[in-house]
Amino acid sequence: MAVIWRGNTQDRLYQDTISSGGGNSHKHKDKYKDKEHKHKDHKKDRERDKSKYGNSDHKEFSEKKHREKERIKHEDVSTDRHKDKHKEKDHRKDEIKPKKEKENGFASPHRIKTEPDNDHFYHSPKSLKRQRDNDETEFKPKKIKIENDRVDKKTKKRKQDEDIKPKKTQKNKKGEVADGKKKAKKEPEEKWKWWEEERATDGSKWRFLEHKGPVMAAPYEPLPSKVRFFYDGKQMKLGPEAEEVATFFAKMLDHEYTTKDAFRKNFFKDWRKEMTSEEKSKITDLKKCNFNEMGEYFKAQSEARKAMTKDDKLKIKVENERLLQEYGFCIMDNHKERIANFRIEPPGLFRGRGDHPKMGMLKRRIRPEDIIINCSKDSKHPKPPPGTKWKELRHDNKVTWLVSWTENIQGSIKYIMLNPSSRIKGEKDWQKYETARNLKKCVDRLRNQYREDWKSKEMRIRQRAVALYFIDKLALRAGNEKEEGESADTVGCCSLRVEHINLYPEKDGQEFVVEFDFLGKDSIRYYNKVPVEKRVFKNLQLFMENKQPEDDLFDRLNTSILNKHLQELMDGLTAKVFRTYNASITLQQQLKELTSPDENLPAKILSYNRANRAVAILCNHQRAPPKTFEKSMQNLQTKIDAKKDQLSDAKRDVKICGCDWLKKAVERLEEQLMKLEVQATDREENKQIALGTSKLNYLDPRISVAWCKKWGIPIEKIYNKTQREKFAWAIDMAEDDYEF
DNA sequence: GCTCGAACTTAGAAGGGGTGGG
DNA sequence: CCCACCCCTTCTAAGTTCGAGC
């Protein structure tokens, strides 16, 4: 799937989205060309850079150099500070006052106007204007109310599973839940409103947990003997172990992965480990392996599956449903809760994202002996498959997982946990948005603070402050450091390197422009040109002085330092809270801005999607265009071209004859053409931007619920079933006047 | 302070199934 | 009714955070 190089489209994209301009078709074509081009160039650069700089000796060396530099820098810094001094002084007085008020709550934000102006300051990428929020006073009571509810309402601890009945849900008695072997189909009579209950305060995540354990991966079924494998043109029968791994590769034959060197190399190495010594001695070159019959066989199988009768399909569906009912739920504290991923991950070839050094490695089959089960001591313990044992049976109620195992590629632990609709996930989610709302209350103070810190005489403070500014303004991720060679080379804010930014004192008529170009999570490219304040710009120049491209931009900073600092500024504050906060506040503002009262329902929904899209752009949520995308765009393009021809013909005819009905026809054609072009633009936008991620993870659902209530929009238009389940708490509790 | 690993959230791809327009 | 397309679900990789141990 490759690194996704969708460069440079953002500006235009954004424009199209927000200003709702219709696109034109040439644009699209050019864009594609552009992308291709970029891709290659960039990659080349990367490779060159790697060979040039990529070793640790060098790193150490430049590290020393930095230390050396440090002294000098400090001198610079202080002179720098002097220079700025007068200018700042007057400001500073103003700024200090509010800070004081802070201590017992929050400063009155309105009075202080420290930022020069919004356009320079908190404007987000692509001119997305995020206004400063200046209306916080009122929620405080509300917030408190929530807290109070939770704390006061129920005084008794939920100690025994037995005596707590969900407040609102009489039907949902313990007896039914615990003994009754789940009537599969029956609707849970009334939904349990966990959000009206008290939360545990002792750090325990549950008091009772019972489940059936995981569903193991299906055992390997050897290929029918008619399906042959050839090595060097000669048929060869593989033993079951080697054959299984071969099928993993055969199933991916159509995938780009199998053309990549790293993938092939890793695969072959691990495959050979599964071979008998005889096989190993024969099979020495992957290029001589012919998996085609195997590949064809699997293709045929999947065709056959598609071609099955309705009846047979139904049977499969029923069987899946049965599995779901049996293994897909657990009982946690009196309630039957859905499990998210109750199947053990089947063996296969590792598919890392981007330029992952381990792609193609064999992800081994997980056996019961690898699996740790977590459940209540006094629950009915899940049974391992006959003749096997679990690795461990554990009763740890300080964690939320039911099952875990260690994966062999990175050596990390995998978990089976509950569905987002569960109490345990929902509470956490709710809490996340409350923390973000707390940030809203003090964000002005924090912003003033880091602006002050840009002037600090300590390098680490300055770096921290500039990094925080990026995290706040651009919604960058924190950016932990990663071990080289273990995964794709991606970065976040704290791990930015000098090579990831360019500074332009002046660009496109704007001053102090920073150009970002790096691969973020999942190797998604982040590309953005942002005008910053002069002081930030100067600081960046300082940070980059005497560094190599591959040196850390913030060499005095990491996520742990940053988060420690944030924690001191506000309880529960970490870097990622800024993303949540900025995403949610942006949605709220965009909704306010874009929704017009007299518009009809589809238009309102369009506005909602546009607001959502603004957030997705802010957070850089992209996806690769589907395989069929180019083709379907071409089809559309053909239609557009045809329409254009028709139109020009019609126009010519009008000139000749000028009769009324011909003029009408021209109008009609023009309209149709416009529609098609808008459709093309829309599709284009939606292919590159993933709205789902922000909707699911960043946008306080109560904002959307309130918006729906306010405008009489059915919630189903905004949230599908899964989403409604996840956000049940918000749907139930938010009123039309909810403010984030 | 720093490193490591456990636990949990966030992420896009893939695939299947539903649906709506021709 | 068929099929393209789009939406939803599933899957699991890739992040962040935090705390233990040194």
Side-chain angles (χ1 to χ4, degrees), chain A residues 1-2 248-260 263-264 351-352 627:
Chain A
M1 92 219 33
F248 298 153
F249 194 85
K251 283 175 183 168
M252 293 178 73
L253 245 30
D254 285 340
H255 204 288
E256 197 199 340
Y257 270 126
T258 57
T259 65
K260 297 186 179 179
F263 189 92
R264 297 173 66 87
R351 298 152 92 107
K627 296 243 149 57

Side-chain angles (χ1 to χ4, degrees), chain A residues 15-17 19-25 27-28 610 674 677-682 685:
Chain A
Q15 219 92 357
D16 288 348
T17 310
S19 63
S20 75
N24 84 42
S25 41
K27 231 187 211 163
H28 298 145
R610 290 205 155 131
M674 201 197 67
E677 285 182 335
V678 168
Q679 194 188 339
T681 309
D682 262 6
E685 284 179 11

Side-chain angles (χ1 to χ4, degrees), chain A residues 40-213:
Chain A
K40 282 185 191 142
D41 281 357
H42 204 99
K43 225 177 173 166
K44 242 186 280 163
D45 287 350
R46 225 157 216 300
E47 250 143 47
R48 192 195 51 220
D49 287 351
K50 255 197 186 139
S51 54
K52 201 159 64 173
Y53 309 116
N55 73 54
S56 46
D57 289 356
H58 178 86
K59 220 167 194 170
E60 265 171 46
F61 172 63
S62 47
E63 187 104 336
K64 254 185 235 160
K65 252 191 341 196
H66 291 166
R67 263 157 238 263
E68 185 104 332
K69 275 280 82 140
E70 196 58 30
R71 252 190 16 254
I72 301 162
K73 273 182 198 165
H74 280 180
E75 285 163 25
D76 291 354
V77 165
S78 45
T79 50
D80 190 28
R81 201 182 60 215
H82 287 309
K83 255 190 281 178
D84 293 328
K85 227 175 194 162
H86 339 283
K87 256 204 202 152
E88 235 107 73
K89 267 243 164 99
D90 327 0
H91 270 309
R92 221 182 263 168
K93 268 187 212 149
D94 294 341
E95 284 170 0
I96 280 161
K97 236 183 263 160
K99 248 201 210 148
K100 265 200 167 156
E101 296 175 50
K102 257 27 142 358
E103 267 135 54
N104 45 0
F106 49 90
S108 39
H110 317 268
R111 288 191 291 279
I112 337 149
K113 162 109 180 160
T114 50
E115 289 84 30
D117 83 38
N118 283 348
D119 280 348
H120 284 307
F121 215 68
Y122 296 109
H123 107 146
S124 48
K126 334 307 161 218
S127 79
L128 201 209
K129 266 230 214 98
R130 208 192 303 141
Q131 276 150 15
R132 313 289 312 282
D133 25 291
N134 37 8
D135 44 8
E136 25 213 276
T137 20
E138 356 157 1
F139 329 120
K140 220 188 172 171
K142 210 173 202 165
K143 165 77 197 315
I144 285 165
K145 198 184 106 221
I146 290 164
E147 299 286 81
N148 285 349
D149 277 356
R150 276 192 232 155
V151 177
D152 304 340
K153 244 189 211 146
K154 312 226 122 184
T155 54
K156 49 247 106 222
K157 303 265 146 90
R158 304 185 265 168
K159 275 221 184 82
Q160 333 254 91
D161 308 321
E162 274 65 28
D163 36 53
I164 336 300
K165 322 264 133 119
K167 209 158 82 181
K168 300 270 155 137
T169 323
Q170 272 84 358
K171 315 265 185 69
N172 218 359
K173 302 254 159 87
K174 142 95 200 244
E176 232 179 59
V177 176
D179 326 331
K181 280 303 140 214
K182 292 328 37 97
K183 50 289 28 249
K185 297 295 121 97
K186 235 195 193 154
E187 285 294 309
E189 299 73 8
E190 212 177 308
K191 286 279 161 42
W192 171 38
K193 299 190 177 183
W194 51 258
W195 49 94
E196 293 181 344
E197 295 192 23
E198 182 190 346
R199 291 207 248 168
T201 53
D202 58 355
S204 67
K205 303 293 169 62
W206 45 264
R207 282 155 291 107
F208 180 80
L209 172 61
E210 180 170 289
H211 59 91
K212 300 269 295 210

